[in-house]
Amino acid sequence: MRYYSTRNKNETLSFAQAALSGLAPDGGLYVPEEIPQYPCMVKSSLGTMDYRDIAFETIKPYMHDEMPDATLHDIVQSAYTFSAPLIGVLDRFALELFHGPTAAFKDFGARFMARTFAWLRRGEDKPLRILVATSGDTGGAVADGFFDVPGISVTVLYPKGRVTPLQERQIAGLGKNISALAVEGSFDDCQKLVKAALADEALKKRMALSSANSINISRLIPQAVYYAAAAGRAFAGRIDPDGEATPRANLKARAPEFASQAPRSGLPITLCVPSGNFGNLTAGLYAMKMGAPIKRFIAATNINKTIPDFLASGEYLARVSQATISNAMDVGSPSNFERMTAHFSWEEMRRIIMGVSVSDNETRQAIVRVHEEVGYFLDPHSAVGWCGVDKLRTENKIGAENAEPVGVLCTAHPAKFSEVVQPLVGPAPVPASLSRAMERAVHSQTIPAEVSAFIEAL
Ligand SMILES: *Cc1c(COP(=O)(O)O)cnc(C)c1O
């Protein structure tokens, strides 16, 4: 597979080149020349295959000729020691993407990326420095994925005071090859600093640089896997049993319909994606194009609604991000919009994506309502998705539950955002990985949101 920059279709490069450079020198994002199709055999077995086998089949065509099958096989086996259960909750499905080590979906991309980078860099002696801007969750997932990987160091930039204490410990508590910079500014500022450094020729002469944001294609592709797995299972009429690691364990009172629901087989699912930088949704679009049985998407944002507005009007207006209780989605100028437009026109996007925006108050109400009705804990990001579905259902923009099955991507574990969740519905059970992270001390350096300060820190 060859890749090109969204700003220059004429020059192509390999997966390794696209992955290791992160952002194209012209400021564009790398996209595959074409989106491959699942072979018929794979497509018809998505509902029964093991997660790791789906990962292998999904990722393989994107690395064709570059990574031996045996290596890819080993990477997906060691990266995905957890999976993505699809369970029934009330009138819809929850796709739980928070069973990885940092309790948010970003583990799926980051763990694959770290292993792939380590393999791509085998035999190199110049150390590689990875720059990553985070609104909260990316930093922790990337730090965890790359922790202790020889020959690679990571610098995480996060908006000072805008991440939770737990997120800060996941980012700045590991030490060793992971360093953390607290930037006096917003996530968009952090992202600008990373883009500026990656475009700085003088700096690149001094050190090998790459990025690990969702702008990196090697993080994006593995995220297509859980879409295919979930859509395949829903299509086959199979959902996962009540897993022990999920927050609903330990609950006394459970509504009878909870987790008892089975989807009607043979229907493609509509998936609602709580979105910020739109890497997750873009990966979903890839899965759909590859042939996963997905009917359409709902792009649910908080009040940072650049893309829902674009879908409605056809006009793209980037803005300054506003702080919300779903802070990993506080993005006013989503990077992956460039990727979406590389593959789809506005008209096509409107056919397959419905936009919806949700306020903090509505988000809180959704957390309370779902907990009251069925004892299920939503984190604020997942609650944006949940509420987005409610709003579209009220407006009759999506079909009834037996005609159009809907799944909400639950992007983080509720215990990860206890500052919001606990005052509303009490404490969610805490996974062991999170209690361990809370015990770490924070080591970070504060810098102003200026390129010169950032380069000096590097
Ligand atoms: C990163 C993140 C999002 C947003 O994902 P994008 O790919 O940036 O759209 C949503 N929820 C959580 C919990 C996240 O960490």
Side-chain angles (χ1 to χ4, degrees), residues 103-106 134-138 167 187 214 219-220 223 226-227 273-282 300 326-331 334 336 379-382 409-413 416-417:
F105 79 90
K106 295 192 170 77
T134 184
S135 55
D137 283 343
T138 291
Q167 286 174 328
F187 166 67
S214 55
R219 247 189 73 189
L220 194 97
Q223 290 183 11
Y226 47 75
Y227 285 93
V273 189
S275 295
N277 219 6
F278 279 77
N280 201 4
L281 193 115
T282 303
S326 45
N327 70 8
M329 313 200 306
D330 293 351
V331 184
N336 283 287
D379 97 287
H381 306 83
S382 312
L409 274 70
C410 293
T411 50
H413 194 289
K416 191 164 188 187
F417 293 94

Side-chain angles (χ1 to χ4, degrees), residues 166-189:
L166 171 64
Q167 286 174 328
E168 191 165 34
R169 280 165 179 78
Q170 290 179 329
I171 294 164
L174 285 169
K176 281 202 180 174
N177 61 331
I178 314 292
S179 44
L181 297 173
V183 176
E184 291 170 323
S186 65
F187 166 67
D188 291 319
D189 292 323

Side-chain angles (χ1 to χ4, degrees), residues 144-174:
D144 193 273
F146 280 101
F147 182 62
D148 241 354
V149 172
I152 300 181
S153 62
V154 175
T155 301
V156 184
L157 291 83
Y158 64 98
K160 190 179 167 95
R162 289 215 200 167
V163 302
T164 70
L166 171 64
Q167 286 174 328
E168 191 165 34
R169 280 165 179 78
Q170 290 179 329
I171 294 164
L174 285 169

Side-chain angles (χ1 to χ4, degrees), residues 209-278:
L209 285 180
S210 184
S211 75
N213 280 44
S214 55
I215 55 181
N216 194 299
I217 192 71
S218 71
R219 247 189 73 189
L220 194 97
I221 291 166
Q223 290 183 11
V225 178
Y226 47 75
Y227 285 93
R233 308 202 116 199
F235 195 76
R238 296 177 65 224
I239 52 167
D240 294 299
D242 197 6
E244 58 180 303
T246 56
R248 59 203 177 281
N250 313 340
L251 289 172
K252 286 177 265 136
R254 310 233 307 241
E257 68 269 44
F258 180 59
S260 65
Q261 194 187 15
R264 241 176 76 197
S265 59
L267 290 178
I269 193 167
T270 294
L271 290 167
C272 178
V273 189
S275 295
N277 219 6
F278 279 77

Side-chain angles (χ1 to χ4, degrees), residues 14 44 51 86 196 203 209 232 240 250 259 330 348 386 403 408 442 458:
S14 66
S44 58
Y51 189 86
L86 180 73
L203 186 65
L209 285 180
D240 294 299
N250 313 340
D330 293 351
E348 286 170 312
W386 195 279
V408 175
V442 170
L458 283 176

